[in-house]
Amino acid sequence: MKFVKISILFILISAFSSAIAFSQDTGGIKGKVRTTRGNAISGVTITARQNGEDVKSVASDGGGKFVLENLKTGIYNIVFTKNGYSSGLKYDVEVRKGKVGDLGDRLILTVDQGTQVIIKGSVFSEDGRSVSGAEVKIERISENGSAKKIGSIYTNVSGEFTFRQPESAAKFRVTASAKGASASKEVEVSSAAIYRLAITLKVSSER
């Protein structure tokens, strides 16, 4: 009977020792995911990939932070994905035994233009010449007809401008102003795409 108890105790101790040894053979990584403007991005899926296979994933928290633990020591590629953003990939990240490597707080994801409403336009004079430096204001028109300004920009040397908005159905009014003249156009958008328009101002262009 004593022999059986001693055997069971030995097995338990051996199993416990093996678990400790296994945990000491693992490590992890941590970091913070941001936009190009420095804002934290929550809900990003961070995946450790090794030899073409996804090993383990975790999601960033409300502050863009994540910790990916219990990875076997070795070299991994780290993949960052979230709807609305272009995927990110960090190559050759080493996971060391008993360590949580810090990838830092400058893990940047850019907005995927394929999920945006992009309004591109040009401003011309009546004789067809580009108007540079014109102020272009964009307003969102609500169902009751009221308008809310959401941004303004100036045309470039080619008389062109671009506005970007999150994907959603909406109606916008775009107003261009230069040299005391102004004109507006409205554009309705239904989904992520590029919408183009041209605005003509009654101004004399400089030759």
Side-chain angles (χ1 to χ4, degrees), residues 141-183:
I141 303 173
S142 63
E143 292 182 357
N144 63 12
S146 62
K148 180 180 179 181
K149 181 179 177 181
I150 59 175
S152 63
I153 197 172
Y154 290 89
T155 56
N156 62 19
V157 293
S158 300
E160 300 171 340
F161 62 88
T162 302
F163 284 103
R164 291 179 171 82
Q165 291 293 309
E167 180 180 13
S168 65
K171 185 177 183 180
F172 297 100
R173 179 185 297 130
V174 181
T175 303
S177 304
K179 302 177 183 179
S182 66

Side-chain angles (χ1 to χ4, degrees), residues 122-132 159 179 199-207:
S122 300
V123 180
F124 297 99
S125 63
E126 285 187 301
D127 58 4
R129 293 181 175 270
S130 300
V131 179
S132 62
K179 302 177 183 179
I199 298 176
T200 301
L201 295 180
K202 294 182 177 180
V203 296
S204 58
S205 58
E206 296 180 359
R207 295 180 182 271

